[in-house]
């Protein structure tokens, strides 16, 4: 194995048969993973857990869905001292959404840790309750850089007992402009600590952080098991920049889809697509860095709930985006790095289903597409735009105006109000709500609000029932958001 410039390299994957027992986890945690149905560690877990338990710094290359959260959460849980109500580990995440996902995974894995206090310190929420919780004492902090730094600078966050800091999706954190905040946070943490970094890609800015803040890290590169991509058919369609929209409309009509994700490299392209196709009446919305967190959450909930059929996103906004069940991913512009290509298309073809990934390319993209194909271990088939049988852009668009099957309702209460998905189903169905079970779709209960998808034609009745009725004996406001 050749020594990289910084750190030692461990390569793992594809998936090999090992058990969690071999990873030196304590019996309590072995029981928990077994209860959760994790029968064997994922490659990143197998590689990272023993190294993290031994106290080393780690650089992990891995993506959402690889099991990376448990890879760092299990060692942290194994080492946390419940008697000491001081912060022992901090996980930095680029978005509130990822913080919530990480916190969820920690809480799931913490069944054998009664009394463990985990707090999320994220922006867009009042600071005061966070401060109060910190005063009462917490063991683990998960948060976004801005808010975390704020608490650190005001000295509400005592880091004297900190052992481990994790930078999750570090590349994305830097993309979003959090570089300076991350540096300031790291500079305030005790020097004797473990620094763990996860990233999908390694631009120079990440290498700089690694050199500055890590000590002899182990690099763990998990090769994306090619078998995970085998359900995805990869196609290429050549079209010049001026014909791109037309090509996209043609593809969308050729390949019927319920949920399609369209990736662009630039916000300007996202706007162009959404404006044109939206004006033509398609069920489409955007996800780019300009959206504030509230609207971003709403768009994602609507997309996951199938009340938007086409979502157009940039990588920065779309990464870490936790959507499964996509039938189609389109690259309207090819990404610069092959890893990002794999990342984008890996959103489809999950859970044994067939997926389709189509890249609209220009001739200048050939080399880039070739290296992407090499990474997936598959050939990318070229398809031709059949101009003779093309009915023209306006007619194509007209054929694509079928509305999404569902509508999404926002409810003004969440976990804080002890609402659970079953309570929402209860309020909507039976005598109180009048809907049948199959008219209720995806339900997401968040901290202070919830989203529920209902069959489009039942949406007005559902909003009425929710506003007239009660959930957990309390009144909440229900609003149709799309
Ligand atoms: P992550 O990559 O951390 O976002 O994890 C993806 C999903 O896989 C999460 O829902 C985890 O709960 C789940 N998961 C993590 N580790 C395992 C495992 N060893 N076996 C099965 N599922 C897992």
């Amino acid at each position: 194995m050749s020594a990289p410039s910084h750190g030692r390299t461990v390569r793992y994957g594809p998936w090999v048969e090992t058990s969690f027992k071999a990873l030196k986890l304590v019996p309590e945690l072995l029981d928990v993973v077994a209860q959760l149905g994790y029968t064997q560690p994922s490659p990143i877990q197998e590689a990272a857990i023993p190294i993290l338990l031994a106290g080393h710094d780690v650089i992990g290359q891995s993506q959402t869905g690889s099991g990376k959260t448990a890879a760092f959460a299990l060692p942290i849980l194994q080492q946390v001292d419940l008697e000491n109500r001081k912060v022992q580990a901090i996980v930095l995440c680029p978005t509130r959404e990822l913080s919530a996902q990480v916190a969820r995974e920690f809480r799931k894995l913490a069944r054998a840790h009664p009394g463990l206090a985990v707090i999320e310190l994220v922006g867009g929420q009042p600071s005061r309750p966070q401060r109060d919780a910190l005063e009462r004492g917490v063991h683990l902090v998960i948060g976004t850089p801005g808010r975390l730094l704020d608490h650190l600078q005001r000295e509400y966050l005592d880091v004297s007992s900190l052992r481990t800091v994790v930078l999750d999706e570090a590349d994305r954190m830097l993309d979003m402009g959090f570089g300076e905040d991350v540096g300031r946070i790291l500079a305030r943490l005790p020097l004797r600590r473990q620094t763990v970094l996860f990233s999908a890609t390694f631009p120079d800015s990440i290498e700089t952080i690694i050199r500055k803040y890590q000590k002899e890290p182990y690099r763990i590169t998990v090769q994306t098991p090619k078998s995970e991509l085998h359900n995805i058919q990869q196609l290429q369609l050549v079209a010049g920049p001026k014909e791109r929209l037309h090509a996209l409309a043609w593809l969308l009509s050729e390949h019927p889809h319920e949920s399609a994700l369209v990736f662009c490299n630039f916000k300007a392209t996202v706007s162009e697509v959404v404006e044109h196709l939206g004006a033509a009446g398609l069920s489409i919305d955007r996800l780019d860095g300009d959206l504030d967190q509230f609207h971003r959450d709403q768009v994602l909930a609507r997309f996951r709930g199938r009340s938007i059929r086409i979502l157009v996103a940039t990588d920065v906004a779309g990464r870490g985006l936790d959507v499964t069940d996509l039938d189609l991913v389109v690259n309207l512009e090819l990404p610069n790095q092959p890893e990002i290509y794999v990342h984008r298309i890996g959103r489809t073809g999950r859970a044994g289903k067939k997926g389709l990934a189509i890249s609209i390319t220009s001739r200048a993209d050939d080399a880039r597409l070739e290296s992407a194909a090499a990474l997936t271990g598959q050939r990318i088939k070229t398809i031709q735009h059949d101009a003779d049988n093309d009915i023209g852009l306006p007619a194509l668009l007209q054929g694509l105006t079928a509305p999404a099957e569902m509508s999404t309702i926002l409810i003004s209460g969440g976990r804080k109000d002890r609402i659970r998905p079953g309570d929402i189903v209860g309020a909507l169905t039976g005598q109180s709500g009048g809907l049948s079970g199959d008219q209720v779709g995806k339900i997401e209960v968040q901290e202070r609000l919830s989203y529920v998808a209902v069959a489009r034609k039942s949406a007005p009745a559902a909003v009425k029932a929710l506003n007239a009725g009660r959930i957990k004996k309390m009144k909440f406001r229900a609003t149709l958001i799309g």
Side-chain angles (χ1 to χ4, degrees), residues 37-100:
Y38 299 2
T39 48
Q40 76 186 65
S42 71
I44 187 86
Q45 291 165 356
E46 191 195 342
I49 290 174
I51 298 175
L52 288 172
L53 284 173
H56 298 290
D57 283 4
V58 161
I59 304 165
Q61 175 166 30
S62 67
Q63 311 169 353
T64 305
S66 59
K68 67 177 156 74
T69 317
F72 62 74
L74 287 166
I76 288 175
L77 288 170
Q78 177 139 327
Q79 288 169 330
V80 72
D81 173 6
L82 289 174
E83 308 275 290
N84 178 12
R85 270 186 96 88
K86 281 194 185 171
V87 178
Q88 295 163 49
I90 291 180
V91 182
L92 282 173
C93 303
T95 62
R96 239 164 66 179
E97 197 181 56
L98 184 66
S99 299

Side-chain angles (χ1 to χ4, degrees), residues 220-241:
I220 301 175
T221 323
V222 174
Q223 277 140 14
T224 311
K226 295 181 175 142
S227 60
E228 277 183 14
L229 300 170
H230 76 239
N231 282 328
I232 308 172
Q233 191 188 12
Q234 300 175 63
L235 304 176
Q236 168 193 20
L237 175 71
V238 180

Side-chain angles (χ1 to χ4, degrees), residues 70 116 121 140 143 167 176 189 195 222 253 280 290 298 315 340 347 356 394 407 419 444 478 480:
L116 179 84
L121 297 181
L140 307 178
L167 313 184
M176 293 177 70
L189 302 181
T195 307
V222 174
S253 60
D290 284 346
Q298 283 205 358
D315 291 296
I340 297 185
R347 295 249 165 60
L356 183 61
S407 288
I419 294 182
E444 293 182 29
L480 190 62

